[in-house]
Amino acid sequence: TIVIYGDMNGDGNVNTTDVTNLSLHISKSTAITAAQRKAMNLDGSRRVDTTDLSKLKLAIKNNTAINQANPAL
């Protein structure tokens, strides 16, 4: 499985759909796969939480790429 950090739905794009999906997961409305967990762990904490959501929103708002080699940077 190829993982693009920030791309929760696997469509190859990091966008507001991924924010929505991550929000649903954090609110316990949806479960995620291991690949989705890896893609959304943007701070390197081993947990997917509101810190990752904030980092994702900021990247989209500022139109900045998420470092694919080390997303925690």
Side-chain angles (χ1 to χ4, degrees), residues 1 5 15 18 26 30-31 37 51 61 68 71-72:
T1 301
Y5 290 106
N15 56 34
D18 301 301
I26 290 170
T30 60
R37 183 174 310 282
T51 303
K61 178 184 173 195
Q68 295 299 307

Side-chain angles (χ1 to χ4, degrees), residues 5-64:
Y5 290 106
D7 180 20
M8 186 163 177
N9 65 349
D11 67 355
N13 299 301
V14 176
N15 56 34
T16 56
T17 301
D18 301 301
V19 170
T20 300
N21 290 336
L22 182 54
S23 295
L24 288 171
H25 168 69
I26 290 170
S27 69
K28 309 289 188 220
S29 297
T30 60
I32 61 175
T33 67
Q36 288 172 317
R37 183 174 310 282
K38 183 171 183 163
M40 299 317 297
N41 184 14
L42 302 178
D43 66 351
S45 69
R46 300 173 115 183
R47 292 184 315 273
V48 176
D49 55 23
T50 56
T51 303
D52 302 300
L53 181 61
S54 294
K55 189 166 183 173
L56 179 62
K57 286 180 176 180
L58 188 62
I60 292 169
K61 178 184 173 195
N62 294 335
N63 198 30
T64 56

